[in-house]
Amino acid sequence: MVIPTLDDVNFTNSKVLVRIDINSPVDSKSGKLLDDSRIRAHVETVKELVEKGNGVVLVSHQGRPGDSDFIDLEEHSRLLQKHLDMEVEFVGDVMGPYAREKIKNMKLGSVILLDNVRFVSEELIEASPLQHAKSYLVRRLSPLFQGYVNDAFAASHRSQASLVGFPLVLKSSAGRVMEREVSALAKVFNPEDSPKIFIMGGGKVLDSLRIIENLVKRRLADRILTGGLIAELFAVAKGLDLGKENLQVLEKAGVLGLISRARKLLLSGAPVEIPVDFKVEKGGQVHEEPANKVTGIIKDVGSTTVNIYSSFVRDAKVIVMRGPMGVIEDERFRESSRALLKNALENQGYVIIGGGHMISLLGGEGQIDKSKVHVSTGGGALLLFLAGEKLPALEALDMSAKEAMKA
Ligand SMILES: Nc1ncnc2c1ncn2[C@@H]1O[C@H](COP(=O)(O)OP(=O)(O)OP(=O)(O)O)[C@@H](O)[C@H]1O
Ligand SMILES: O=C(O)[C@H](O)COP(=O)(O)O
């Protein structure tokens, strides 16, 4: 696969559309961003393009329709402006007349952030690069640009218009974040680096299940330690009675239909570990309860589980951590994820940390040794990449490079 970088495609004095991923955790009460790591990550790419005299138009998504983190990008633009130390104009539109006028009139050397690209319904369709190259979004925006840069590794597992449509119609390259992710993550395919432990938590149950299925099929993981909602799914699949309220949580998340797939994995002997205890909330109080005697609402894994998981982490050569063990937005349920993270960082193995929520916990862990820790901006994209899945956004860049070579 050929992934052209900014060294191969040297954009200068052009208008460049840059797909970034600044999708960040949001406080559901205040609507404020809880972490700006993904915003900071893209500073290098944007600065480089600006220094080369380009007009930079940034496009990103935030959340999914129906979720409380599905918000506009105004606060993101303020944070980006702070970290870039230059003006970033927030344009509350994606491809309407207002956005296109702003892009047409922008000065080279300046930066615009368009609004949440998922406000455009077409963006939510998963289709091939060829189909998306003909999408309304691509047809409306591409004539305004001389180039396209994809720096959104964290969204590269989505075959959506802003990620795969533009490389087929514009001269394209990966940004610096995308480039660094792909080269760092390739290291973990080294068969000598075993055992490999995957710590999977968070709320995206279907994504996590698909990944676990892949990891098992390709025998990539020696152990998969579960937390978050995926742990609850596996616990139910194993036959544990988690009580009506926790089943309602899974039902609300629309994942009860996945129990049979989880059970199939367990029956096949997949190396999936399920928590032996949970931290639950009951009547406003926090309790620890064994997994077979849960009476409260599960909010985190329990301390015995943390001890067991830590023993696996200690022996691992590669540790991949994605998604928190609990509802870390509430500090009462942050401890397990933090303890496992600390343990992994103190271990000798190579640690790959992914997903906005886990990365937000890194703040208190002091100086990170970059030779043994890769902090990925990717959540689902990270693990699909590690499971050997094709990432559509990378495929599209590859198609673009091959077309350019033919020309
Ligand atoms: N037991 C639980 N019950 C309900 N929600 C949970 C539980 N454990 C974790 N969560 C929620 O999972 C969410 C994080 O999951 P998510 O899959 O988005 O992880 P992430 O690391 O941020 O990945 P990404 O960067 O891909 O979004 C948090 O909002 C957290 O509250
Ligand atoms: O956080 C992520 O994993 C990426 O931003 C992709 O978001 P999505 O899972 O909503 O497509």
Side-chain angles (χ1 to χ4, degrees), residues 25 34-38 40-41 154 181 321-324 328 341 352-365 368 374-379 382:
L34 289 165
D35 178 63
D36 63 2
S37 339
R38 281 191 174 167
R40 280 186 276 122
E181 293 272 10
M321 306 186 80
R322 190 262 158 189
I328 60 160
L341 179 63
I352 294 172
I353 302 163
H357 290 81
M358 279 314 291
I359 293 171
S360 69
L361 292 180
L362 268 174
E365 298 303 332
I368 304 286
H374 174 67
V375 181
S376 176
T377 54
L382 164 71

Side-chain angles (χ1 to χ4, degrees), residues 168-365:
L168 269 58
V169 294
L170 287 169
K171 188 163 76 168
S172 297
S173 111
R176 295 302 181 195
V177 171
M178 183 76 96
E179 180 188 349
R180 226 185 347 260
E181 293 272 10
V182 172
S183 62
L185 297 176
K187 284 182 196 151
V188 302
F189 285 102
N190 185 352
E192 283 165 24
D193 288 331
S194 273
K196 291 185 179 68
I197 303 290
F198 288 71
I199 305 179
M200 309 272 303
K204 292 173 188 146
V205 179
L206 177 57
D207 282 348
S208 298
L209 186 68
R210 280 199 189 123
I211 289 157
I212 293 174
E213 286 170 341
N214 261 317
L215 292 174
V216 171
K217 194 168 117 205
R218 290 164 202 260
R219 294 174 193 273
L220 209 60
D222 292 275
R223 268 193 211 267
I224 300 161
L225 314 179
T226 62
L229 285 184
I230 187 77
E232 293 181 42
L233 185 84
F234 274 105
V236 174
K238 197 182 165 190
L240 290 172
D241 178 6
L242 298 184
K244 207 169 115 198
E245 285 174 311
N246 290 308
L247 279 183
Q248 276 168 353
V249 171
L250 292 175
E251 189 179 16
K252 204 167 154 227
V255 299
L256 281 182
L258 301 176
I259 291 172
S260 56
R261 276 165 73 177
R263 187 172 296 132
K264 201 169 151 200
L265 276 170
L266 293 175
L267 291 173
S268 75
V272 175
E273 299 294 328
I274 302 166
V276 296
D277 59 348
F278 291 106
K279 270 201 187 83
V280 304
E281 190 168 15
K282 203 177 169 189
Q285 300 291 311
V286 179
H287 304 277
E288 292 223 5
E289 296 184 332
N292 58 357
K293 286 192 183 128
V294 171
T295 60
I297 299 181
I298 296 173
K299 293 290 176 80
D300 198 1
V301 303
S303 45
T304 307
T305 302
V306 172
N307 288 338
I308 296 170
Y309 284 7
S310 295
S311 65
F312 291 127
V313 167
R314 265 192 295 278
D315 297 332
K317 287 267 177 55
V318 175
I319 305 142
V320 182
M321 306 186 80
R322 190 262 158 189
M325 295 287 99
V327 182
I328 60 160
E329 291 89 342
D330 183 335
E331 65 178 39
R332 296 174 301 165
F333 306 111
R334 213 169 280 167
E335 198 35 48
S336 309
S337 306
R338 193 173 268 155
L340 281 172
L341 179 63
K342 189 165 182 285
N343 209 292
L345 293 176
E346 285 166 4
N347 179 273
Q348 294 306 302
Y350 188 69
V351 185
I352 294 172
I353 302 163
H357 290 81
M358 279 314 291
I359 293 171
S360 69
L361 292 180
L362 268 174
E365 298 303 332

